[in-house]
């Protein structure tokens, strides 16, 4: 049976079914990858594709590079069409998978920024950022319940919840053959989230909907011991060829993180000053810096505490951006592969950049 199912991007859909053994296991479970042709999703696919893999996209067409090339691994995947917001288009696939990777999401309401980044089109990218906060009405909803919601809510949060709910309701095909339910494989739901580093450049609603999805998924799976939630939180994701415009910023952020790490404790830094100012504006600012105080990987469902708002949230986000190093897209994909390993049941909850580096043996 197949192994990976995926969902991603501006038009929600399930992207890929891929086998576990390609990530280093000779005999592994089946996983599902939910997502569109997203940068991270496409980073996972080459590592896991085999002749039995199935990919689902909004168009059903095989992936091609921006220059029109077809990578060798694409021919090993069967490409099918599905919609993440419509469970009927993929629910029949989930009993055949042992894990789901959800990579649907959008950084801006104007999705044209993705093509602009890929092609290095600065004017188009600037236009996307200018329009990003003005396109708040969802045009992808499939039901009355989605009407009126922002694109952030539908893509970053609701699509993940829809897929997760459907995944939880699915019954593994070999469930009845397992005489000892205790040994049943714990199926991971891997959600591609993000660190809070993008304000004020990116609207706050982007990170809020990402973290709202984490909270609701945790509550959803809390009473289902046969599942585990994994929240992958990358910082700035870069790739010299796929997103050349990002590389200079990644270099600067990496330098800042390195300098902050070398400054002795007790000496004021730009980051600490920003956090101090942020704490003056919000008593809940500590939740923004959770990435720096939380355990590496934890299993406690996040509380439904309110998000810091306004200036406090922005200042803490800026502080995070100065101290959390960027991460290469391939390293994010490798960490996701490790999270899917049935032997790594310890990988659960929030997985930040530091934890991702530890998972792939590079820290």
């Amino acid at each position: 049976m197949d192994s990976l199912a995926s969902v991603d991007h501006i038009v929600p859909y399930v992207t890929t079914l891929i086998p576990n053994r390609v990530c280093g296991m000779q005999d592994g479970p089946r996983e599902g990858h939910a997502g569109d042709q997203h940068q991270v999703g496409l980073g996972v696919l080459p590592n896991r594709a085999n002749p039995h893999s199935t990919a689902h996209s909004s168009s059903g067409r095989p992936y091609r590079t921006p220059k029109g090339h077809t990578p060798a691994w694409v021919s090993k995947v069967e490409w099918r069409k599905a919609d993440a917001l419509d469970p009927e288009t993929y629910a029949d696939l989930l009993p055949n998978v042992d894990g789901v990777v959800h990579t649907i999401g959008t950084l801006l309401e104007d999705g044209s920024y993705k093509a602009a980044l890929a092609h290095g089109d600065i004017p188009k990218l600037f236009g996307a950022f200018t329009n990003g906060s003005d396109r708040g009405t969802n045009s992808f909803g499939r039901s009355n319940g989605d009407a009126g919601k922002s694109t952030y809510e539908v893509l970053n949060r609701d699509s993940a919840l829809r897929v997760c709910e459907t995944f939880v309701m699915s019954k593994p095909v070999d469930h009845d053959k397992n005489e000892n339910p205790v040994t049943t494989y714990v199926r991971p739901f891997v959600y591609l989230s993000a660190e809070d580093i993008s304000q004020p450049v990116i609207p706050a609603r982007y990170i809020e909907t990402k973290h709202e999805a984490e909270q609701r998924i945790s509550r959803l799976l809390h009473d289902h011991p046969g599942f585990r939630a994994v929240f992958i939180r990358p910082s700035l994701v870069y790739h010299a060829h796929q997103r050349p415009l990002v590389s200079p910023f990644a270099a600067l952020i990496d330098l800042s993180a390195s300098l902050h790490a070398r400054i002795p404790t007790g000496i004021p830094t730009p980051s600490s000053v920003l956090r101090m100012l942020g704490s003056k504006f919000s008593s809940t600012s500590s939740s923004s810096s959770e990435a720096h105080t939380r355990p590496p990987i934890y299993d406690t469902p996040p509380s439904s505490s309110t998000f810091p708002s306004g200036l406090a949230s922005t200042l803490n986000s800026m502080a995070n951006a100065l101290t959390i190093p960027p991460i290469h897209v391939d390293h994010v994909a490798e960490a996701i592969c490790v999270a899917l390993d049935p032997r790594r049941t310890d990988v659960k909850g929030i997985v930040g950049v530091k934890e991702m580096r530890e998972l792939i043996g590079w820290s």
Side-chain angles (χ1 to χ4, degrees):
M1 286 179 287
D2 296 325
S3 59
L4 186 71
S6 145
V7 189
D8 194 344
H9 216 303
I10 289 302
V11 179
Y13 52 90
V14 178
T15 321
T16 302
L17 294 177
I18 314 177
N20 217 4
R21 60 180 177 274
V22 182
C23 271
M25 289 174 242
Q26 295 304 314
D27 296 297
R30 306 158 305 281
E31 299 127 25
H33 176 197
D36 69 346
Q37 294 176 359
H38 181 281
Q39 185 185 21
V40 175
L42 291 174
V44 176
L45 288 178
N47 293 322
R48 304 183 71 83
N50 81 354
H52 303 291
S53 304
T54 305
H56 297 77
S57 70
S58 58
S59 65
R61 293 189 297 269
Y63 166 74
R64 288 192 176 187
T65 67
K67 293 185 178 180
H69 301 148
T70 302
W73 59 265
V74 171
S75 62
K76 300 178 181 179
V77 179
E78 177 188 353
W79 298 82
R80 293 173 53 183
K81 183 176 180 179
D83 182 343
L85 294 176
D86 184 1
E88 292 184 359
T89 63
Y90 58 87
D92 60 309
L93 306 171
L94 297 181
N96 296 308
V97 303
D98 293 317
V100 169
V101 181
H102 189 285
T103 57
I104 285 181
T106 186
L107 192 64
L108 295 171
E109 304 261 41
D110 185 344
S112 64
Y113 77 92
K114 297 189 178 184
L117 282 174
H119 294 91
D121 189 335
I122 296 179
K124 187 175 181 180
L125 180 62
F126 180 78
F129 274 88
T130 302
N131 298 330
S133 59
D134 298 330
R135 299 181 61 173
T137 302
N138 161 47
S139 59
F140 304 105
R142 298 296 193 273
S143 66
N144 293 332
D146 292 328
K149 291 184 179 180
S150 72
T151 305
Y152 283 135
E153 292 171 328
V154 174
L155 296 187
N156 293 353
R157 185 192 66 197
D158 296 350
S159 66
L161 294 174
R162 197 76 55 87
V163 174
C164 188
E165 291 168 352
T166 309
F167 185 42
V168 170
M169 291 187 294
S170 67
K171 184 178 180 181
V173 292
D174 57 352
H175 181 274
D176 295 331
K177 299 178 182 179
N178 192 340
E179 297 179 356
N180 184 7
V182 176
T183 64
T184 300
Y185 175 66
V186 179
R187 307 164 80 191
F189 184 88
V190 182
Y191 173 69
L192 183 63
S193 185
E195 290 283 11
D196 184 4
I197 63 166
S198 56
Q199 299 181 66
V201 178
I202 304 299
R205 198 62 188 140
Y206 162 73
I207 197 64
E208 289 173 357
T209 50
K210 284 283 190 180
H211 292 180
E212 285 171 4
E214 291 181 5
Q215 294 177 358
R216 298 191 187 187
I217 291 170
S218 291
R219 290 197 292 268
L220 179 62
L221 299 185
H222 187 252
D223 296 326
H224 296 276
F227 298 84
R228 59 184 169 96
V230 181
F231 306 119
I232 301 294
R233 281 191 179 185
S235 52
L236 179 65
V237 178
Y238 67 94
H239 190 292
H241 301 297
Q242 294 179 8
R243 292 186 174 181
L245 290 179
V246 175
S247 295
F249 297 100
L252 291 174
I253 292 175
D254 188 59
L255 176 61
S256 172
S258 298
L259 292 175
H260 274 79
R262 295 177 182 178
I263 297 176
T265 303
I267 298 179
T269 64
S271 174
S272 65
V273 172
L274 288 170
R275 293 189 194 284
M276 179 187 67
L277 292 174
S279 66
K280 301 294 184 181
F281 294 94
S282 174
S283 61
T284 60
S285 61
S286 59
S287 63
S288 286
S289 58
E290 179 188 1
H292 302 275
T293 58
R294 65 175 184 257
I297 301 174
Y298 66 87
D299 191 27
T300 304
S303 64
S304 57
S305 60
T306 58
F307 290 97
S309 59
L311 185 57
S313 176
T314 299
L315 291 172
N316 279 281
S317 182
M318 292 169 63
N320 290 341
L322 293 175
T323 56
I324 304 177
I327 185 168
H328 195 280
V329 62
D330 289 345
H331 294 159
V332 180
E334 289 176 30
I336 290 175
C337 287
V338 174
L340 292 168
D341 187 338
R343 298 166 296 186
R344 296 303 304 270
T345 56
D346 60 309
V347 182
K348 59 186 75 173
I350 295 173
V351 180
V353 173
K354 178 178 179 292
E355 295 77 52
M356 279 186 269
R357 288 179 167 182
E358 293 174 349
L359 289 178
I360 64 177
W362 185 73
S363 59

